[in-house]
């Protein structure tokens, strides 16, 4: 804990009776931004702490996944700022090639136009115009959430500086022969008319058909099966396993391909599984990645049978048909020729779809640009293996290695107009020139630039250093690279994190882009189901912020954030977090009205009561605990620790136990007021990174200081008082037991009862006034009759319940309940003692009966004690 030395509050600080987030949050955030709290100075001598925002798409809006991730990053950076680091949380947005182009193309379609009507240059201008007017609404929503980012440094992946970074690294990779152009099978979207990356493919189970076909005649025939009959027009072989004796006589022969005038060879290839299906597969090298590799091994021709819109191009009766129309027509034609051996409909199988437009993906042979990832991926794997980079949680390492150790070359070209255009020019005589950012593009007749743009992940892979001004060696690069940490979802570990690792190590002389990778899970609904508009369970976090406040949403998300594990969330949990914020508000307001202060130094321990020493001891323990959880990225545990400390120990116990002290006044009240002020000061600072708005309002009112955003992070002073902790735990046990007894007897919480307390010889004697206050126990008067005596933890509490309950009615009720519990115990015991029953009953049924027995035994013990405690008449 730190000593307060700045301006002190007025003697009677004013707080509204209720906390209304909507009246506070917007004003506070703008004040923080205006005062520059979130900016980062590369000239500062403070140690740097850097984290980049996973750049949201310019087309996007804040969803619960963003809110979750941003809450975690903001909590880490706010704490680091309070700890004295020069903290940079770098904001920005991704140009999102396909998504953004689709948005603008839809706008044009409403006008009856296409991008081709405008031409490339005018279309790109139209996209920039859309970006300026409609893009980036997520920035305002991030402010609503409380993101403490350095807005003056906001970047966009199509900025001039980032474009220079893209050209620089492309040129470097090209010159190092790590970028090349070649024909390969890619994921092709016939709707978006572009290659797309693996991450842009969504797989789902579709109902299709599995058709078995007969190729060849007589003994020279073979049966193959396919779900894509239309691709048979591009078959250039049938493949079998070299050890499969069934087809040994066919290997090397040519057989007739149905519906065509071609013959195709039968080849032997170890890729074929002889145990799967018939052990023979059709080979279509231009339309299947595995077939492409077989074709390369056997020097097979590549026959493309569809155009970019998935329309059949093979001359004949099927030319001009869409692939789905062609599928039905070809199956019908094969059936007419007697070539169909079997048909299975529906046949459910996993099919890839474009994540943007949901169109079925078509594997397609295409001339594209590729990154040779072998050496880059090895460096990315080695950086984790030699502990230069730590992945948290550690069990995610195996998934990372499984990806980078088996990474295929990366297709980086996209057939779009919006994006970083590939900096390669082609000459009239077949020349190819790669142009760097400082090079002049070739001039003269016949020179043209490549029409493709780069995959969005290419530019976002440079994000940790391009945002700092690289390729220039700027002061920001020197101060803030490498980033300290990367917090992101495990779902993009392979696609974004791996690319940042490859590019960072390559471009920055072997220095990885960050020291720690923290992977979190996905947000799901309260039943653990994926959130989706189609499921009807998607939630707009802004709606919850409007209803319950941003702090409530943030605290709910943080309390669910266990490393690498998905996070279920429901509205009732957000309500609970709103209640917590209200509890913090009301309890702090009450405490400040009753003497809580930060004025002056803390009193000596010798002048404190055991209750004061207990709460300070617990406070320091919680400071240490929260620090340990932060260092291990255990957001759920640190949030839970703070919740229970603030609500249970500070507000429900310490404040309540101190009420009599404050009522009595005097020196003891001043000591407890200062202790309570210290506890509130530290607790609010501990809570601030997760619930920044309510804590800012309360802390500045309590302390009179400028802002908790730039306050010192609490430190564990080392103060511990084990004896005081044991004493108050003893006191809590007494109060809890008596409260339970009162409840069991049907007494109302506020109902007063005469009582005699025998606390002699125990430390509890000093707490008699508090015990009576909290338990509504009146002093014993004339005619006191101890009708119930409770021996509790070395103390004796005698209660006079005469006239407060109907003893006979209560005895009858308890006796009836006791009889039912004993009957339940007997039945459960009999079943569990029946060997025949145990042999047949399912485990879950047996477990349920064991649970009933345990509950019955507990009920019997409780009811027996309650009956014994009733007044004897």
């Amino acid at each position: 804990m730190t000593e307060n030395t700045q301006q002190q509050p007025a003697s009677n600080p004013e707080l509204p009776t209720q906390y209304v987030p909507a009246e506070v949050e917007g004003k506070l955030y703008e004040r923080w931004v205006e005062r520059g709290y979130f900016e980062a100075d590369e000239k500062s001598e403070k140690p740097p702490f850097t984290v980049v925002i996973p750049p949201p798409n310019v087309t996007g809006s804040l969803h619960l996944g963003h809110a979750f991730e941003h809450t975690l990053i903001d909590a880490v950076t706010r704490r680091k700022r309070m700890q004295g680091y020069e903290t940079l949380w770098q904001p920005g947005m991704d140009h999102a090639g396909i998504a953004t182009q689709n948005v603008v193309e839809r706008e044009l379609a409403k006008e009856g136009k296409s991008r081709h009507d405008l031409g490339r240059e005018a279309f790109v201008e139209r996209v920039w115009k859309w970006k300026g007017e409609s893009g980036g609404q997520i920035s305002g929503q991030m402010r609503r959430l409380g993101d403490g980012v350095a807005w003056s440094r906001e970047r966009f992946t199509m900025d001039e500086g980032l474009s220079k970074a893209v050209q620089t690294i492309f040129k470097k990779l090209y010159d190092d022969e790590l970028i090349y152009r070649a024909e390969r099978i890619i994921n092709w979207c016939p709707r978006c008319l572009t290659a797309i990356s693996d991450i842009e493919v969504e797989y789902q189970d579709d109902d299709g058909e599995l058709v078995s076909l007969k190729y060849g005649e007589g003994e020279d025939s073979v049966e193959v099966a396919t779900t894509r009959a239309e691709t048979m027009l591009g078959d250039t072989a049938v493949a079998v396993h070299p050890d499969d004796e069934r087809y040994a006589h066919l290997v090397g022969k040519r057989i007739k391909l149905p519906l065509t005038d071609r013959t195709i060879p039968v080849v032997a290839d170890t890729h074929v599984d002889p145990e799967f299906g018939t052990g023979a597969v059709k080979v279509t090298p231009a339309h299947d990645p595995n077939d492409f590799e077989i074709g390369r091994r056997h020097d097979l021709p590549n026959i493309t049978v569809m155009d970019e819109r998935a329309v059949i191009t093979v001359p004949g009766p099927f030319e001009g048909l869409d692939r789905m129309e062609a599928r039905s027509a070809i199956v019908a034609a094969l059936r007419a020729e007697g070539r169909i051996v079997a048909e299975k409909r529906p046949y459910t199988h996993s099919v890839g779809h474009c994540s943007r437009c949901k169109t079925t993906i078509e594997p397609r042979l295409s001339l594209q640009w590729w990154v040779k990832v072998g050496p880059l991926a090895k460096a990315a794997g080695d950086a984790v293996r030699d502990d230069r980079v730590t992945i948290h949680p550690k069990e995610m390492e195996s998934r990372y290695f499984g990806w980078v150790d088996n990474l295929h070359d990366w297709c980086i070209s996209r057939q779009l107009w919006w994006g970083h255009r590939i900096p390669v020019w082609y000459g009239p005589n077949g020349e190819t020139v790669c142009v760097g950012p400082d090079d002049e593009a070739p001039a003269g007749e016949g020179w043209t630039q490549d029409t493709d743009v780069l995959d969005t992940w290419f530019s976002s892979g440079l994000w940790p250093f391009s945002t700092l001004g690289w390729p220039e060696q700027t002061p920001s690069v020197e101060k803030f690279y490498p980033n300290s940490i990367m917090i992101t979802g495990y779902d993009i570990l392979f696609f974004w994190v791996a690319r940042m690792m490859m590019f960072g190590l390559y471009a920055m002389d072997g220095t990885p882009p960050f020291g720690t990778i923290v992977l979190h899970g996905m947000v799901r609904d309260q039943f653990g189901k994926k959130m989706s508009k189609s499921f009807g369970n998607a939630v707009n976090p802004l709606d919850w912020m409007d209803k319950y406040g941003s702090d409530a949403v943030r605290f709910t998300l943080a309390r669910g954030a266990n490393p690498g594990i998905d996070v279920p969330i429901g509205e009732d949990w957000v309500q609970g977090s709103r209640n917590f914020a209200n509890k913090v508000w009301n309890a702090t307001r009450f405490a400040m009205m009753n003497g809580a202060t930060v004025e002056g130094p803390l009193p000596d321990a010798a002048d404190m009561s055991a209750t004061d020493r207990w709460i300070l001891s617990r406070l320091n323990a919680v400071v240490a605990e929260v620090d340990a959880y932060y260092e291990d990225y255990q957001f759920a545990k640190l949030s839970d620790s703070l919740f229970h400390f603030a609500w249970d120990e500070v507000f429900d116990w310490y404040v309540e136990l101190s009420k009599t002290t404050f009522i009595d006044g005097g020196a003891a009240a001043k000591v407890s007021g200062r202790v309570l002020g210290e506890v509130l000061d530290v607790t609010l600072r501990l809570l601030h990174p997760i619930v920044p708005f309510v804590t800012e309002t309360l802390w500045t009112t309590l302390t009179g200081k400028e802002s908790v955003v730039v306050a010192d992070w609490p430190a564990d002073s080392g103060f511990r008082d084990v004896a005081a902790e044991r004493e108050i735990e003893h006191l809590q046990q007494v109060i809890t037991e008596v409260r339970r007894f009162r409840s069991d007897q049907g007494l109302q919480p506020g109902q007063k009862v005469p009582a005699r307390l025998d606390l002699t010889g125990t430390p509890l004697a000093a707490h008699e006034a508090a015990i009576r206050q909290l338990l509504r126990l009146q002093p014993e008067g004339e005619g006191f009759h101890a009708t119930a005596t409770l021996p509790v933890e070395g103390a004796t509490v005698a209660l006079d319940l005469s006239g407060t309950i109907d003893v006979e009615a209560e005895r009858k009720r308890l006796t009836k309940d006791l009889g039912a519990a004993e009957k339940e115990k007997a039945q459960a015991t009999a079943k569990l003692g029946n060997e025949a029953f145990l042999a047949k009953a399912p485990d879950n049924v047996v477990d349920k009966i064991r649970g009933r027995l345990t509950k019955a035994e507990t009920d019997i013990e409780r009811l027996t004690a309650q009956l014994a405690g009733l007044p004897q008449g």
Side-chain angles (χ1 to χ4, degrees):
M1 291 176 287
T2 58
E3 197 170 294
N4 295 286
T5 57
Q6 297 182 31
Q7 175 190 351
Q8 301 303 329
S11 56
N12 294 302
E14 292 292 333
L15 282 170
T17 55
Q18 286 186 317
Y19 176 56
V20 183
E23 296 178 0
V24 171
E25 294 176 349
K27 296 175 184 176
L28 282 184
Y29 190 84
E30 289 311 312
R31 185 189 307 161
W32 293 335
V33 172
E34 288 168 7
R35 292 179 177 178
Y37 292 156
F38 304 141
E39 296 303 324
D41 181 5
E42 59 264 16
K43 298 177 182 177
S44 168
E45 294 184 359
K46 296 179 182 177
F49 182 85
T50 316
V51 59
V52 295
I53 194 169
N57 289 352
V58 67
T59 59
S61 60
L62 191 74
H63 57 63
L64 266 180
H66 290 129
F68 174 53
E69 183 167 85
H70 291 199
T71 294
L72 304 187
I73 300 174
D74 197 38
V76 169
T77 54
R78 283 179 183 269
R79 173 175 174 262
K80 286 295 183 181
R81 189 177 293 111
M82 295 171 75
Q83 286 182 312
Y85 287 82
E86 192 61 33
T87 303
L88 170 60
W89 183 9
Q90 173 68 53
M93 286 182 291
D94 192 282
H95 65 277
I98 294 178
T100 307
Q101 180 157 317
N102 281 348
V103 167
V104 178
E105 285 196 87
R106 282 196 294 270
E107 283 192 354
L108 286 174
K110 294 175 185 176
E111 303 169 13
K113 298 178 182 177
S114 75
R115 60 180 162 123
H116 300 285
D117 294 324
L118 272 66
R120 184 170 192 141
E121 186 175 336
F123 176 76
V124 171
E125 287 181 6
R126 178 72 177 257
V127 180
W128 276 108
K129 182 173 182 289
W130 174 88
K131 190 259 182 186
E133 295 174 353
S134 305
Q137 63 173 320
I138 196 171
S139 295
Q141 296 164 347
M142 288 164 55
R143 293 169 182 263
R144 285 285 313 278
L145 187 65
D147 285 4
V149 299
W151 287 112
S152 69
R153 293 172 173 263
E154 187 174 13
R155 303 304 299 269
F156 180 56
T157 50
M158 289 280 286
D159 283 350
E160 183 179 346
L162 272 69
S163 294
K164 184 175 182 180
V166 167
Q167 271 192 279
T168 299
I169 201 161
F170 187 100
K171 171 73 171 171
K172 180 174 170 59
L173 288 163
Y174 183 88
D175 290 345
D176 288 345
E177 299 184 347
L178 293 174
I179 280 183
Y180 64 94
R181 196 180 190 215
E183 276 196 322
R184 298 283 189 275
I185 294 287
I186 46 87
N187 301 309
W188 181 265
C189 176
R191 157 61 184 79
C192 297
L193 301 179
T194 181
I196 65 174
S197 67
D198 291 338
I199 195 174
E200 291 162 325
V201 179
E202 292 179 347
Y203 288 89
Q204 66 184 47
D205 287 342
D206 286 358
D207 285 340
E209 59 182 359
L210 180 66
V211 183
S212 296
L213 315 174
K214 185 178 76 170
Y215 286 9
E217 304 293 343
E219 291 185 358
D220 289 347
S221 66
V222 64
E223 181 185 328
V224 298
T226 182
T227 58
R228 301 165 66 218
E230 68 279 6
T231 63
M232 65 154 292
L233 299 175
D235 286 358
T236 56
V238 170
V240 297
H241 194 278
D243 298 331
D244 194 333
E245 295 181 359
R246 293 173 295 176
Y247 303 110
H249 68 288
L250 285 177
V251 175
K253 290 186 177 181
R254 299 185 72 86
I255 59 177
K256 179 75 166 57
L257 180 66
L259 306 183
T260 72
D261 58 1
R262 294 191 292 118
T263 61
I264 58 176
V266 178
V267 300
D269 196 281
T270 55
H271 170 76
V272 180
D273 180 1
E275 303 298 323
F276 183 77
T278 64
V281 297
K282 59 191 285 299
V283 181
T284 320
H287 292 277
D288 183 276
N290 293 322
D291 292 3
F292 177 76
E293 294 302 324
I294 293 175
R296 292 178 70 179
R297 287 193 288 272
H298 298 276
D299 198 25
L300 300 175
N302 302 313
I303 299 178
T304 300
V305 301
M306 297 176 218
D307 66 12
E308 61 184 6
R309 298 182 185 276
V311 172
I312 300 299
T313 57
V314 178
F318 311 111
E319 185 176 9
L321 294 179
D322 170 82
R323 57 182 166 167
M324 300 305 177
E325 297 171 333
R327 182 174 301 172
S328 299
I330 288 172
V331 169
L334 289 166
R335 189 182 298 112
E337 286 194 6
R339 294 285 177 177
I340 301 292
V341 178
E343 296 178 71
K344 184 176 181 180
R345 293 189 188 88
Y347 177 73
T348 303
H349 61 131
S350 182
V351 178
H353 296 260
C354 174
S355 63
R356 301 298 177 191
C357 68
K358 311 308 176 187
T359 301
T360 300
I361 291 303
E362 189 63 44
R364 185 170 189 256
L365 185 64
S366 182
L367 182 63
Q368 303 283 349
W369 285 94
W370 303 80
V371 171
K372 187 183 296 182
V373 299
L376 304 176
K378 182 181 184 303
D382 290 345
V384 175
R385 286 190 172 95
D386 63 21
D387 296 325
R388 281 177 290 155
V389 178
T390 301
I391 294 179
H392 186 90
K394 190 172 179 62
E395 51 265 29
M396 287 286 182
E397 278 188 3
S398 60
R399 297 180 65 176
Y400 175 79
F401 292 136
W403 178 258
V404 298
D405 293 348
N406 298 284
L407 202 56
H408 298 297
D409 284 1
W410 171 20
C411 176
I412 56 173
S413 46
R414 298 291 180 266
Q415 289 64 56
L416 303 170
W417 288 356
W418 172 244
H420 294 282
R421 197 161 174 185
I422 288 177
V424 172
W425 292 72
Y426 305 110
N429 300 311
E431 304 97 328
T432 300
V433 175
C434 181
V435 177
D438 300 321
D439 300 332
E440 289 288 334
E445 187 176 348
W447 283 92
T448 59
Q449 186 176 359
D450 195 297
T451 57
D452 288 351
V453 300
L454 287 163
D455 177 13
T456 298
W457 297 101
F458 191 95
S459 50
S460 62
L462 313 179
W463 194 244
F465 49 93
S466 64
T467 52
L468 299 173
W470 187 90
E472 307 302 326
Q473 190 61 24
T474 64
S476 287
V477 170
E478 293 180 7
K479 178 72 174 180
F480 296 114
Y481 188 89
N483 292 189
S484 309
I485 189 172
M486 167 54 58
I487 299 179
T488 192
Y490 64 68
D491 58 325
I492 55 174
L493 168 65
F494 315 131
F495 307 104
W496 187 44
V497 175
R499 282 156 173 70
M500 286 189 289
M501 286 284 284
M502 290 191 296
F503 280 166
L505 289 159
Y506 174 75
M508 306 301 284
D509 300 321
T511 302
F514 24 72
T516 303
I517 302 167
V518 178
L519 298 171
H520 60 71
M522 305 296 101
V523 178
R524 297 180 178 271
D525 70 13
Q526 64 265 45
F527 305 109
K529 191 174 181 180
K530 179 181 177 181
M531 285 191 174
S532 166
K533 290 181 181 178
S534 60
F535 295 155
N537 63 351
V539 173
N540 183 347
L542 296 170
D543 293 340
W544 281 353
M545 289 184 211
D546 290 341
K547 198 170 181 180
Y548 305 110
S550 297
D551 283 335
V553 174
R554 291 171 60 114
F555 195 66
T556 304
L557 291 165
R559 284 194 82 182
N562 290 296
I565 298 174
D566 288 347
V567 183
I569 183 172
E571 185 168 1
D572 55 337
W573 302 342
V574 185
Q575 292 175 3
S577 295
R578 186 269 314 273
N579 295 343
F580 175 64
N582 288 342
K583 179 77 169 181
V584 173
W585 179 274
N586 294 332
T588 303
R589 181 174 179 273
F590 171 85
M592 291 168 65
M593 290 171 62
N594 285 273
T597 180
V598 295
E599 293 187 28
L602 274 174
D604 291 336
D607 296 327
M608 297 180 191
S609 67
T611 310
D612 295 332
R613 297 195 305 277
W614 160 72
I615 197 63
L616 287 176
S617 184
R618 287 292 305 128
L619 177 67
N620 280 283
V622 168
V623 169
E625 185 174 75
V626 167
D627 273 331
Y629 285 144
Y630 261 116
E631 295 305 314
D632 199 33
Y633 309 103
Q634 298 280 358
F635 297 100
K637 290 182 178 179
L638 72 89
S639 300
D640 216 45
S641 176
L642 287 169
F643 174 87
H644 288 293
F645 176 71
W647 192 307
D648 299 343
E649 297 188 77
V650 178
F651 302 140
D652 278 0
W653 279 110
Y654 181 72
V655 170
E656 291 297 317
L657 288 171
S658 302
K659 277 183 178 178
T660 53
T661 303
F662 290 130
I663 291 170
D664 292 342
K670 288 185 178 180
V671 169
S672 293
R674 180 63 188 90
V675 169
L676 181 53
E678 181 75 7
V679 172
L680 291 174
D681 170 18
V682 173
T683 302
L684 292 170
R685 282 186 279 150
L686 290 173
L687 283 167
H688 173 73
I690 298 173
V691 285
F693 295 107
V694 68
T695 51
E696 171 79 341
T697 306
L698 293 172
W699 190 84
T700 53
T701 306
L702 172 70
T703 66
K705 297 179 184 178
E706 179 183 341
S707 174
V708 69
V709 177
V710 290
D712 292 338
W713 179 252
D716 176 7
S717 71
F719 176 81
R720 298 290 191 281
D721 192 323
V722 176
E725 289 194 37
R726 288 176 180 165
E727 181 175 330
I728 302 306
E729 285 173 12
H730 188 184
L731 175 61
Q732 290 170 331
Q733 289 169 351
V734 170
I735 292 172
T736 301
E737 285 296 317
V738 177
R739 278 177 172 166
R740 185 180 295 120
F741 178 80
R742 286 177 56 105
S743 176
D744 290 341
Q745 301 307 316
L747 296 176
Q748 295 300 314
Q751 189 172 351
K752 295 182 178 180
V753 178
R756 177 188 300 134
L757 305 184
D758 184 1
L759 308 174
T760 307
T762 76
L764 300 183
H767 302 284
E768 180 168 348
I771 293 172
R772 289 188 177 276
Q773 170 75 19
L774 293 178
L775 291 172
R776 303 296 189 268
L777 301 180
Q778 293 178 318
E780 53 185 295
E782 289 187 19
F784 176 83
H785 179 54
T787 57
T789 302
L790 301 176
V792 186
E793 300 296 332
T796 301
V797 180
L799 305 174
D800 183 353
L801 301 180
S802 57
T804 60
I805 60 172
D806 185 335
V807 175
E808 286 307 313
E810 186 66 10
R811 182 174 282 111
K812 286 180 182 179
R813 182 183 72 80
L814 293 173
T815 301
K816 180 181 178 182
D817 291 348
L818 179 60
E822 288 173 338
K823 182 179 180 181
E824 176 75 2
K825 176 184 177 181
Q827 291 175 342
T829 301
K831 284 190 175 182
L832 293 173
N834 185 335
E835 295 296 334
F837 169 78
L838 293 176
K840 296 179 181 179
D843 290 344
N844 64 317
V845 173
V846 175
D847 289 342
K848 188 174 181 180
I849 293 171
R850 288 196 179 108
R852 284 167 49 191
L853 176 60
T854 300
K855 183 179 183 304
E857 289 173 339
T858 302
D859 288 345
I860 290 169
E861 183 179 351
R862 176 178 57 81
L863 292 165
T864 301
Q866 288 177 234
L867 279 166
L870 285 175
Q872 302 300 315

